[in-house]
Amino acid sequence: MFFFKKSSKEETPEKKAGLLARMKNALSATKENLVSKIEAVLGGVSAMDENALDDLEGTLLGADLGAVVTDRIMTAVRAQHKKGQLKTPDDAKTEIRNQLTAILSSRAEGASHESDDAPVSESKPQVWMIVGVNGTGKTTTVGKLAARLAGEGRKMLVCAADTFRPAAIEQLAVWTERSGTELIKSKIGADPSSVLHDALSAAAARECDLVLIDTAGRLHTKSNLMQELEKMRRVAGRKIPGSPHETLLVVDATTGQNGLNQAREFMKFTGVTGLIVTKLDGTAKGGVLFGICQELNIPVRYIGIGEAIEDLVDFSPENFIDSLFK
Ligand code: GDP
């Protein structure tokens, strides 16, 4: 598993505070739907009893955490209650927070690129495929990532392999031009694998650090999309052994549990190594991120908290939980 590692020295306290403020703002509707509702339920009881536990369960289910996460939390809360360790509503809130933190942290393994100074062996170019259903934010995310990593001094190349959507290619052209990143594209309707082949040749010739591949996302239930993605993986592996080094699945948080269903389908086929959860701003359904982590057992790499170029941030379980609970 490869990931660019950044020096922890880049993260100043001011930067961290600014990031937290932006995340808090973006996650305010989810906080309202999840944490504020938990507080409202718990605020109305003086001691934890069966009624309070049932109300709590209903609230968690209504907050897009999904049945599996709700069940995990309630099992832990009830076990503590039985042992007499859950006396006050605050104790219950603390246990919920602990459980949610544990879900995110156990899946964050390998995503420690934010603060690790250790050197990384990088073979060049690294190849990342960005996959997901249309409309989830793939193209935007590729643009944001290209700008971000180019800004960190990486020599980037973007491959517009969503050859069915002229708008996606135009959008990428605008974003890559802004960040001074080279874009390899082709005619509308061209074979995505042939564009990919050209892009990887160009990246090797120009000694690029990283190639980002924007892929098509017509409905995941169509097996031909999956076959196309598999073919692209084979083409990449033949051209650059070991690639794609990352296959990142983009999931739209606003679709809640449907997003989780889509992710399950993609997990069956394309060797997904990580997730990017977009549109966490302005949705109350951000709780779905916990369900995704719990069930898919792969790390969330980045989250999208807005439409602007700087609105893609490294995912940190600690920051995410703090943004919701603090
Ligand atoms: P694609 O079909 O998967 O390539 O999706 P696009 O990249 O075209 O994005 C679809 C829409 O989602 C666009 O209007 C984007 O501006 C928007 N979008 C993408 N990421 C985010 C995000 O993190 N927050 C918000 N609010 N909008 C986003």
PDB file of all heavy atoms in Angstrom, residues 15-28 281 303 305-306 308-313 323:
ATOM      1  N   LYS A  15      -3.004  26.239  11.085  1.00  0.00           N
ATOM      2  CA  LYS A  15      -3.589  25.499   9.960  1.00  0.00           C
ATOM      3  C   LYS A  15      -4.609  24.493  10.475  1.00  0.00           C
ATOM      4  O   LYS A  15      -5.680  24.325   9.907  1.00  0.00           O
ATOM      5  CB  LYS A  15      -2.486  24.745   9.203  1.00  0.00           C
ATOM      6  CG  LYS A  15      -1.979  25.468   7.981  1.00  0.00           C
ATOM      7  CD  LYS A  15      -1.167  24.508   7.156  1.00  0.00           C
ATOM      8  CE  LYS A  15      -0.538  25.202   5.964  1.00  0.00           C
ATOM      9  NZ  LYS A  15       0.435  24.353   5.301  1.00  0.00           N
ATOM     10  N   LYS A  16      -4.241  23.813  11.565  1.00  0.00           N
ATOM     11  CA  LYS A  16      -5.131  22.789  12.117  1.00  0.00           C
ATOM     12  C   LYS A  16      -6.434  23.432  12.612  1.00  0.00           C
ATOM     13  O   LYS A  16      -7.520  22.901  12.369  1.00  0.00           O
ATOM     14  CB  LYS A  16      -4.421  22.033  13.242  1.00  0.00           C
ATOM     15  CG  LYS A  16      -5.253  20.900  13.751  1.00  0.00           C
ATOM     16  CD  LYS A  16      -4.501  19.842  14.489  1.00  0.00           C
ATOM     17  CE  LYS A  16      -5.522  18.769  14.830  1.00  0.00           C
ATOM     18  NZ  LYS A  16      -5.148  17.744  15.663  1.00  0.00           N
ATOM     19  N   ALA A  17      -6.311  24.577  13.269  1.00  0.00           N
ATOM     20  CA  ALA A  17      -7.505  25.263  13.775  1.00  0.00           C
ATOM     21  C   ALA A  17      -8.400  25.703  12.614  1.00  0.00           C
ATOM     22  O   ALA A  17      -9.628  25.570  12.669  1.00  0.00           O
ATOM     23  CB  ALA A  17      -7.089  26.467  14.622  1.00  0.00           C
ATOM     24  N   GLY A  18      -7.779  26.211  11.560  1.00  0.00           N
ATOM     25  CA  GLY A  18      -8.536  26.661  10.386  1.00  0.00           C
ATOM     26  C   GLY A  18      -9.264  25.500   9.737  1.00  0.00           C
ATOM     27  O   GLY A  18     -10.436  25.607   9.352  1.00  0.00           O
ATOM     28  N   LEU A  19      -8.567  24.380   9.637  1.00  0.00           N
ATOM     29  CA  LEU A  19      -9.160  23.187   9.025  1.00  0.00           C
ATOM     30  C   LEU A  19     -10.345  22.694   9.857  1.00  0.00           C
ATOM     31  O   LEU A  19     -11.417  22.382   9.328  1.00  0.00           O
ATOM     32  CB  LEU A  19      -8.098  22.082   8.917  1.00  0.00           C
ATOM     33  CG  LEU A  19      -8.587  20.726   8.419  1.00  0.00           C
ATOM     34  CD1 LEU A  19      -9.055  20.836   6.974  1.00  0.00           C
ATOM     35  CD2 LEU A  19      -7.496  19.675   8.524  1.00  0.00           C
ATOM     36  N   LEU A  20     -10.148  22.673  11.174  1.00  0.00           N
ATOM     37  CA  LEU A  20     -11.230  22.214  12.056  1.00  0.00           C
ATOM     38  C   LEU A  20     -12.459  23.112  11.939  1.00  0.00           C
ATOM     39  O   LEU A  20     -13.594  22.626  11.917  1.00  0.00           O
ATOM     40  CB  LEU A  20     -10.746  22.195  13.502  1.00  0.00           C
ATOM     41  CG  LEU A  20     -10.234  20.852  14.022  1.00  0.00           C
ATOM     42  CD1 LEU A  20      -9.797  20.972  15.466  1.00  0.00           C
ATOM     43  CD2 LEU A  20     -11.299  19.757  13.880  1.00  0.00           C
ATOM     44  N   ALA A  21     -12.216  24.416  11.842  1.00  0.00           N
ATOM     45  CA  ALA A  21     -13.335  25.358  11.726  1.00  0.00           C
ATOM     46  C   ALA A  21     -14.103  25.099  10.426  1.00  0.00           C
ATOM     47  O   ALA A  21     -15.342  25.081  10.415  1.00  0.00           O
ATOM     48  CB  ALA A  21     -12.812  26.793  11.766  1.00  0.00           C
ATOM     49  N   ARG A  22     -13.370  24.855   9.340  1.00  0.00           N
ATOM     50  CA  ARG A  22     -14.033  24.579   8.053  1.00  0.00           C
ATOM     51  C   ARG A  22     -14.815  23.269   8.114  1.00  0.00           C
ATOM     52  O   ARG A  22     -15.922  23.150   7.600  1.00  0.00           O
ATOM     53  CB  ARG A  22     -13.000  24.508   6.931  1.00  0.00           C
ATOM     54  CG  ARG A  22     -12.560  25.888   6.438  1.00  0.00           C
ATOM     55  CD  ARG A  22     -11.354  25.787   5.540  1.00  0.00           C
ATOM     56  NE  ARG A  22     -11.581  24.939   4.384  1.00  0.00           N
ATOM     57  CZ  ARG A  22     -10.650  24.161   3.818  1.00  0.00           C
ATOM     58  NH1 ARG A  22      -9.432  24.114   4.298  1.00  0.00           N
ATOM     59  NH2 ARG A  22     -10.921  23.438   2.761  1.00  0.00           N
ATOM     60  N   MET A  23     -14.194  22.270   8.755  1.00  0.00           N
ATOM     61  CA  MET A  23     -14.882  20.979   8.840  1.00  0.00           C
ATOM     62  C   MET A  23     -16.137  21.072   9.698  1.00  0.00           C
ATOM     63  O   MET A  23     -17.176  20.510   9.366  1.00  0.00           O
ATOM     64  CB  MET A  23     -13.934  19.914   9.396  1.00  0.00           C
ATOM     65  CG  MET A  23     -12.993  19.401   8.326  1.00  0.00           C
ATOM     66  SD  MET A  23     -11.954  18.062   8.888  1.00  0.00           S
ATOM     67  CE  MET A  23     -13.134  16.870   9.465  1.00  0.00           C
ATOM     68  N   LYS A  24     -16.020  21.805  10.796  1.00  0.00           N
ATOM     69  CA  LYS A  24     -17.174  21.977  11.691  1.00  0.00           C
ATOM     70  C   LYS A  24     -18.332  22.613  10.941  1.00  0.00           C
ATOM     71  O   LYS A  24     -19.484  22.196  11.053  1.00  0.00           O
ATOM     72  CB  LYS A  24     -16.781  22.898  12.846  1.00  0.00           C
ATOM     73  CG  LYS A  24     -16.397  22.146  14.078  1.00  0.00           C
ATOM     74  CD  LYS A  24     -16.243  23.109  15.231  1.00  0.00           C
ATOM     75  CE  LYS A  24     -16.470  22.370  16.513  1.00  0.00           C
ATOM     76  NZ  LYS A  24     -16.083  23.081  17.681  1.00  0.00           N
ATOM     77  N   ASN A  25     -17.985  23.623  10.169  1.00  0.00           N
ATOM     78  CA  ASN A  25     -18.978  24.325   9.387  1.00  0.00           C
ATOM     79  C   ASN A  25     -19.628  23.365   8.376  1.00  0.00           C
ATOM     80  O   ASN A  25     -20.853  23.290   8.251  1.00  0.00           O
ATOM     81  CB  ASN A  25     -18.268  25.487   8.670  1.00  0.00           C
ATOM     82  CG  ASN A  25     -19.253  26.434   8.072  1.00  0.00           C
ATOM     83  OD1 ASN A  25     -20.359  26.566   8.588  1.00  0.00           O
ATOM     84  ND2 ASN A  25     -18.875  27.082   6.977  1.00  0.00           N
ATOM     85  N   ALA A  26     -18.775  22.599   7.675  1.00  0.00           N
ATOM     86  CA  ALA A  26     -19.277  21.684   6.648  1.00  0.00           C
ATOM     87  C   ALA A  26     -20.134  20.578   7.266  1.00  0.00           C
ATOM     88  O   ALA A  26     -21.112  20.130   6.671  1.00  0.00           O
ATOM     89  CB  ALA A  26     -18.106  21.066   5.878  1.00  0.00           C
ATOM     90  N   LEU A  27     -19.771  20.156   8.463  1.00  0.00           N
ATOM     91  CA  LEU A  27     -20.466  19.014   9.074  1.00  0.00           C
ATOM     92  C   LEU A  27     -21.621  19.435   9.993  1.00  0.00           C
ATOM     93  O   LEU A  27     -22.181  18.599  10.703  1.00  0.00           O
ATOM     94  CB  LEU A  27     -19.466  18.164   9.879  1.00  0.00           C
ATOM     95  CG  LEU A  27     -18.420  17.402   9.046  1.00  0.00           C
ATOM     96  CD1 LEU A  27     -17.353  16.787   9.928  1.00  0.00           C
ATOM     97  CD2 LEU A  27     -19.094  16.308   8.213  1.00  0.00           C
ATOM     98  N   SER A  28     -21.989  20.731   9.938  1.00  0.00           N
ATOM     99  CA  SER A  28     -22.966  21.203  10.926  1.00  0.00           C
ATOM    100  C   SER A  28     -24.326  20.505  10.796  1.00  0.00           C
ATOM    101  O   SER A  28     -24.975  20.209  11.809  1.00  0.00           O
ATOM    102  CB  SER A  28     -23.113  22.725  10.863  1.00  0.00           C
ATOM    103  OG  SER A  28     -23.505  23.098   9.574  1.00  0.00           O
ATOM    104  N   ASP A 281     -20.405  18.530   3.155  1.00  0.00           N
ATOM    105  CA  ASP A 281     -20.978  19.842   3.468  1.00  0.00           C
ATOM    106  C   ASP A 281     -22.445  19.827   3.049  1.00  0.00           C
ATOM    107  O   ASP A 281     -22.813  19.243   2.039  1.00  0.00           O
ATOM    108  CB  ASP A 281     -20.230  20.936   2.695  1.00  0.00           C
ATOM    109  CG  ASP A 281     -20.198  20.649   1.189  1.00  0.00           C
ATOM    110  OD1 ASP A 281     -19.754  19.551   0.804  1.00  0.00           O
ATOM    111  OD2 ASP A 281     -20.636  21.518   0.420  1.00  0.00           O
ATOM    112  N   ILE A 303     -11.831  13.503   2.312  1.00  0.00           N
ATOM    113  CA  ILE A 303     -13.253  13.857   2.311  1.00  0.00           C
ATOM    114  C   ILE A 303     -13.438  15.190   1.578  1.00  0.00           C
ATOM    115  O   ILE A 303     -12.573  16.066   1.628  1.00  0.00           O
ATOM    116  CB  ILE A 303     -13.852  13.946   3.744  1.00  0.00           C
ATOM    117  CG1 ILE A 303     -13.027  14.871   4.644  1.00  0.00           C
ATOM    118  CG2 ILE A 303     -13.960  12.567   4.363  1.00  0.00           C
ATOM    119  CD1 ILE A 303     -13.666  15.115   6.016  1.00  0.00           C
ATOM    120  N   ILE A 305     -15.459  18.611   1.294  1.00  0.00           N
ATOM    121  CA  ILE A 305     -16.294  19.461   2.155  1.00  0.00           C
ATOM    122  C   ILE A 305     -16.711  20.744   1.432  1.00  0.00           C
ATOM    123  O   ILE A 305     -16.915  21.772   2.050  1.00  0.00           O
ATOM    124  CB  ILE A 305     -15.597  19.781   3.500  1.00  0.00           C
ATOM    125  CG1 ILE A 305     -14.224  20.447   3.272  1.00  0.00           C
ATOM    126  CG2 ILE A 305     -15.442  18.532   4.341  1.00  0.00           C
ATOM    127  CD1 ILE A 305     -13.625  21.062   4.540  1.00  0.00           C
ATOM    128  N   GLY A 306     -16.822  20.674   0.104  1.00  0.00           N
ATOM    129  CA  GLY A 306     -17.264  21.838  -0.655  1.00  0.00           C
ATOM    130  C   GLY A 306     -16.856  21.700  -2.107  1.00  0.00           C
ATOM    131  O   GLY A 306     -16.165  20.746  -2.484  1.00  0.00           O
ATOM    132  N   ALA A 308     -15.139  24.012  -3.904  1.00  0.00           N
ATOM    133  CA  ALA A 308     -13.942  24.756  -4.314  1.00  0.00           C
ATOM    134  C   ALA A 308     -12.710  23.850  -4.315  1.00  0.00           C
ATOM    135  O   ALA A 308     -12.710  22.772  -3.716  1.00  0.00           O
ATOM    136  CB  ALA A 308     -13.726  25.934  -3.362  1.00  0.00           C
ATOM    137  N   ILE A 309     -11.687  24.315  -4.983  1.00  0.00           N
ATOM    138  CA  ILE A 309     -10.489  23.500  -5.214  1.00  0.00           C
ATOM    139  C   ILE A 309      -9.811  23.080  -3.903  1.00  0.00           C
ATOM    140  O   ILE A 309      -9.223  22.003  -3.816  1.00  0.00           O
ATOM    141  CB  ILE A 309      -9.523  24.271  -6.162  1.00  0.00           C
ATOM    142  CG1 ILE A 309      -8.600  23.304  -6.889  1.00  0.00           C
ATOM    143  CG2 ILE A 309      -8.760  25.360  -5.456  1.00  0.00           C
ATOM    144  CD1 ILE A 309      -8.119  23.816  -8.229  1.00  0.00           C
ATOM    145  N   GLU A 310      -9.943  23.909  -2.872  1.00  0.00           N
ATOM    146  CA  GLU A 310      -9.266  23.577  -1.608  1.00  0.00           C
ATOM    147  C   GLU A 310     -10.152  22.728  -0.688  1.00  0.00           C
ATOM    148  O   GLU A 310      -9.767  22.410   0.428  1.00  0.00           O
ATOM    149  CB  GLU A 310      -8.814  24.857  -0.882  1.00  0.00           C
ATOM    150  CG  GLU A 310      -9.923  25.771  -0.386  1.00  0.00           C
ATOM    151  CD  GLU A 310     -10.463  26.702  -1.460  1.00  0.00           C
ATOM    152  OE1 GLU A 310     -10.091  26.546  -2.656  1.00  0.00           O
ATOM    153  OE2 GLU A 310     -11.279  27.576  -1.134  1.00  0.00           O
ATOM    154  N   ASP A 311     -11.328  22.369  -1.176  1.00  0.00           N
ATOM    155  CA  ASP A 311     -12.283  21.674  -0.298  1.00  0.00           C
ATOM    156  C   ASP A 311     -12.160  20.151  -0.306  1.00  0.00           C
ATOM    157  O   ASP A 311     -13.153  19.426  -0.169  1.00  0.00           O
ATOM    158  CB  ASP A 311     -13.719  22.075  -0.665  1.00  0.00           C
ATOM    159  CG  ASP A 311     -14.028  23.505  -0.269  1.00  0.00           C
ATOM    160  OD1 ASP A 311     -13.383  24.008   0.661  1.00  0.00           O
ATOM    161  OD2 ASP A 311     -14.903  24.116  -0.898  1.00  0.00           O
ATOM    162  N   LEU A 312     -10.936  19.659  -0.501  1.00  0.00           N
ATOM    163  CA  LEU A 312     -10.699  18.226  -0.348  1.00  0.00           C
ATOM    164  C   LEU A 312      -9.656  18.093   0.747  1.00  0.00           C
ATOM    165  O   LEU A 312      -8.560  18.632   0.627  1.00  0.00           O
ATOM    166  CB  LEU A 312     -10.158  17.633  -1.649  1.00  0.00           C
ATOM    167  CG  LEU A 312     -10.000  16.115  -1.634  1.00  0.00           C
ATOM    168  CD1 LEU A 312     -11.359  15.436  -1.783  1.00  0.00           C
ATOM    169  CD2 LEU A 312      -9.075  15.644  -2.744  1.00  0.00           C
ATOM    170  N   VAL A 313      -9.997  17.418   1.831  1.00  0.00           N
ATOM    171  CA  VAL A 313      -9.048  17.377   2.949  1.00  0.00           C
ATOM    172  C   VAL A 313      -8.695  15.931   3.292  1.00  0.00           C
ATOM    173  O   VAL A 313      -9.470  15.010   3.051  1.00  0.00           O
ATOM    174  CB  VAL A 313      -9.594  18.121   4.204  1.00  0.00           C
ATOM    175  CG1 VAL A 313      -9.917  19.556   3.879  1.00  0.00           C
ATOM    176  CG2 VAL A 313     -10.825  17.434   4.765  1.00  0.00           C
ATOM    177  N   SER A 323     -14.957  17.452  15.051  1.00  0.00           N
ATOM    178  CA  SER A 323     -15.856  18.379  14.341  1.00  0.00           C
ATOM    179  C   SER A 323     -17.308  18.110  14.702  1.00  0.00           C
ATOM    180  O   SER A 323     -18.134  19.015  14.697  1.00  0.00           O
ATOM    181  CB  SER A 323     -15.701  18.255  12.834  1.00  0.00           C
ATOM    182  OG  SER A 323     -14.372  18.452  12.463  1.00  0.00           O
TER     183      SER A 323
END
